[in-house]
Amino acid sequence: MSIVIRNGTVVNATGAYPADVLVEGERIAALAAPDSGLAQQWASGAERVIDAAGKYVVPGGIDGHTHMEMPFGGTFSADNFETGTIAAAWGGTTTIVDFAVQGKGTSLLSALDKWHSKADGNCAIDYGFHMIISDVNDTSLKEMEACIDAGVNTFKMFMAYPGVFYATDGEILRAMQKARDTGSMIMMHAENGIAIDQLVAQALASGHTDPVQHGLTRPPELEGEATSRAITLAKVTGSPLYIVHLSAAHALDAVTQARDTGQNVFAETCPQYLFLSLDDLAKPDFEGAKYVASPPLRPKEHQAELWRGLRTNDLSLVSTDHCPFCFKDQKELGRGDFSKIPNGMPGVEHRMDLLYQGVVKGEITLPRWVEISSTTPARMFGLYPRKGVIAPGADADLTVYDPTARQTISASTHHMKVDYSAYEGMELTGKVSTVLSRGRVVVDDNAFHGAAGHGTFLKRDLSQYLV
């Protein structure tokens, strides 16, 4: 059908301007000045007109780091691909890139098939996959090429979680060499897991079992050290490197230094590191378990450094690392032993809103909000210009955003399948009004109009940031 979004302010990463947007079928057909005869002609002939007066019209958000239905510590993250993508749509996100997980002793391609079976026909918005490599060998290195052909060209590795996902420096080096040769990219969870495990064992042996110990036994220095080591391995191999969920000033300093020398190093941060802190992990009566994720929340002083990194582009984008576990029955697995608390927090629904608070508070500009939430993820992960921009020919993934609306985040009103909110009671300025996914109105007038199965798999191209 044809839809016209009238009287709004279109915001791309390059700037903001008044424009009407014509949608025909699944694509953006054209833009026109709101008071032009052409715009009036569109409105008179459209099957639907959406009035965006006083509102922003922005590209649908792209969350490049989610974990739907992910196995961890004997349980699974609470959102599946249906509930998680519906929640994402409510928050103005129209694309996710999730992680297929290779188990030890299995193949990359079988893992990819397994994640396709979880997602296909169940997603309310479009989706792609990264691949987690937990078993580096000749076969899996060869299979990286087949994954790239299948549109999965980013490969996550872990310097943490010995015995589960941990990779040695030698294994990382081999995977980086393959990434260099194929034009793909290694994503790195950069924490020194060997040292962390020792600190965890010592804390437990001393009777320190509360959730705050999760943060105290994973100090920011060990994230900084691992980040520096990963950057060095990338420099030796000539491989690009993407640091996931960067949380600490120590790691940011390493990324900044590498980027200043022209190295292909990129990093994301997450809303929890911008708005929450170690104080939340220290909440009494086991409440801190709600905030257990890895890397952990940091002391508040790290937040200003992360906002600075977003302004300088040393932090390229913001993803959620959405990996929700219910407080009851899941987080409670770690009562009496913080090391058994499932690692992960919910957030896919509120990323766009939380980042908009950076605009409200003067931390980032309006176009930068769009850049870090949509345009850069599209370019970083090979989806641009199909996604991440309001321009003729792009997918009609559009979010109409009311910058003056007020809302309060609460588990009682969110749509994620988890029994708590990490931002419970937080009052925000700005709220999603209407969301289109490939030309279909999926959220409007405080109601969901989409459906599981509307979302399609995105076969991604190589990153557009590599030099």
Side-chain angles (χ1 to χ4, degrees):
M1 67 184 295
S2 62
I3 299 173
V4 174
I5 303 175
R6 294 214 70 187
N7 304 315
T9 299
V10 168
V11 186
N12 278 316
T14 52
Y17 49 90
D20 287 6
V21 182
L22 174 63
V23 174
E24 292 183 343
E26 295 191 347
R27 299 292 182 90
I28 296 169
L31 285 76
D35 56 355
S36 66
L38 185 58
Q40 295 171 5
Q41 179 183 336
W42 292 349
S44 63
E47 296 168 75
R48 178 169 182 180
V49 176
I50 297 171
D51 186 9
K55 300 173 183 176
Y56 299 131
V57 184
V58 302
I62 300 172
D63 191 340
H65 189 150
T66 66
H67 295 286
M68 307 300 177
E69 206 175 326
M70 178 181 171
F72 190 100
T75 188
F76 288 83
S77 56
D79 270 315
N80 57 32
F81 280 91
E82 179 177 352
T83 63
T85 56
I86 289 173
W90 272 102
T93 288
T94 55
T95 300
I96 64 166
V97 190
D98 205 82
F99 285 84
V101 182
Q102 177 205 26
K104 292 283 187 182
T106 66
S107 75
L108 297 183
L109 294 178
S110 65
L112 183 56
D113 288 343
K114 183 175 182 179
W115 254 255
H116 272 301
S117 69
K118 292 184 180 189
D120 291 358
N122 294 317
C123 293
I125 58 174
D126 290 351
Y127 62 97
F129 291 127
H130 310 289
M131 176 61 66
I132 288 177
I133 301 180
S134 60
D135 198 355
V136 176
N137 52 54
D138 291 343
T139 300
S140 59
L141 291 171
K142 181 65 177 176
E143 281 188 313
M144 287 174 67
E145 299 174 13
C147 289
I148 294 167
D149 292 339
V152 177
N153 49 50
T154 36
F155 302 91
K156 183 180 179 183
M157 304 187 75
F158 290 77
M159 304 171 101
Y161 306 124
V164 183
F165 292 131
Y166 174 79
T168 67
D169 287 357
E171 290 168 335
I172 292 169
L173 182 136
R174 293 186 69 194
M176 284 182 169
Q177 289 171 332
K178 177 62 74 171
R180 173 200 64 204
D181 294 342
T182 56
S184 58
M185 186 153 59
I186 298 297
M187 309 173 81
M188 190 62 67
H189 180 131
E191 290 184 288
N192 188 322
I194 302 297
I196 286 169
D197 274 12
Q198 289 298 315
L199 294 175
V200 169
Q202 291 167 6
L204 292 173
S206 300
H208 302 303
T209 62
D210 291 339
V212 70
Q213 294 298 321
H214 177 77
L216 298 177
T217 57
R218 305 178 87 97
E221 289 83 359
L222 292 184
E223 183 183 353
E225 182 277 331
T227 301
S228 295
R229 185 157 36 97
I231 289 170
T232 299
L233 291 169
K235 185 172 185 178
V236 168
T237 59
S239 168
L241 175 66
Y242 182 97
I243 302 294
V244 296
H245 47 50
L246 188 148
S247 72
H250 305 68
L252 179 56
D253 287 345
V255 169
T256 301
Q257 183 177 354
R259 289 177 59 81
D260 286 348
T261 65
Q263 196 173 343
N264 267 329
V265 173
F266 313 96
E268 68 179 20
T269 193
C270 306
Q272 54 265 34
Y273 304 123
L274 296 168
F275 291 95
L276 304 174
S277 75
L278 188 66
D279 293 344
D280 294 290
L281 263 177
K283 288 182 176 179
D285 301 324
F286 201 64
E287 284 291 308
K290 296 176 178 179
Y291 304 93
V292 168
S294 296
L297 301 180
R298 302 301 186 185
K300 287 182 180 179
E301 55 264 28
H302 290 262
Q303 294 175 1
E305 289 301 302
L306 298 181
W307 282 112
R308 179 193 62 77
L310 287 172
R311 286 192 297 274
T312 61
N313 202 38
D314 290 311
L315 289 171
S316 299
L317 57 93
V318 179
S319 302
T320 59
D321 192 15
H322 176 77
C323 192
F325 297 96
C326 289
F327 182 69
K328 183 175 175 57
D329 296 332
Q330 291 189 303
K331 291 288 188 178
E332 288 183 334
L333 293 170
R335 281 192 182 274
D337 183 347
F338 70 90
S339 69
K340 290 184 170 58
I341 300 171
N343 280 214
M345 293 168 58
V348 73
E349 185 169 349
H350 298 298
R351 182 182 64 112
M352 297 287 286
D353 290 325
L354 289 166
L355 288 178
Y356 185 71
Q357 305 318 296
V359 179
V360 173
K361 297 175 181 178
E363 295 283 2
I364 54 173
T365 65
L366 188 61
R368 182 63 176 161
W369 173 52
V370 170
E371 190 170 24
I372 62 178
S373 64
S374 183
T375 307
T376 294
R379 294 186 63 200
M380 187 71 69
F381 301 129
L383 296 171
Y384 190 90
R386 180 178 175 182
K387 308 288 188 183
V389 65
I390 299 178
D395 281 357
D397 291 353
L398 298 162
T399 294
V400 180
Y401 198 82
D402 185 345
T404 62
R406 300 281 297 175
Q407 62 171 310
T408 301
I409 298 180
S410 175
S412 65
T413 54
H414 74 203
H415 302 88
M416 298 173 288
K417 190 181 175 182
V418 63
D419 62 0
Y420 75 95
S421 171
Y423 307 95
E424 185 70 39
M426 185 179 291
E427 296 182 355
L428 305 181
T429 299
K431 186 179 181 181
V432 169
S433 175
T434 303
V435 180
L436 280 71
S437 170
R438 293 193 343 270
R440 175 175 179 170
V441 176
V442 294
V443 175
D444 187 50
D445 195 24
N446 291 311
F448 181 71
H449 302 281
H454 165 75
T456 61
F457 172 70
L458 300 169
K459 184 177 179 180
R460 298 185 291 111
D461 296 327
L462 298 177
S463 175
Q464 297 175 0
Y465 280 99
L466 306 185
V467 294

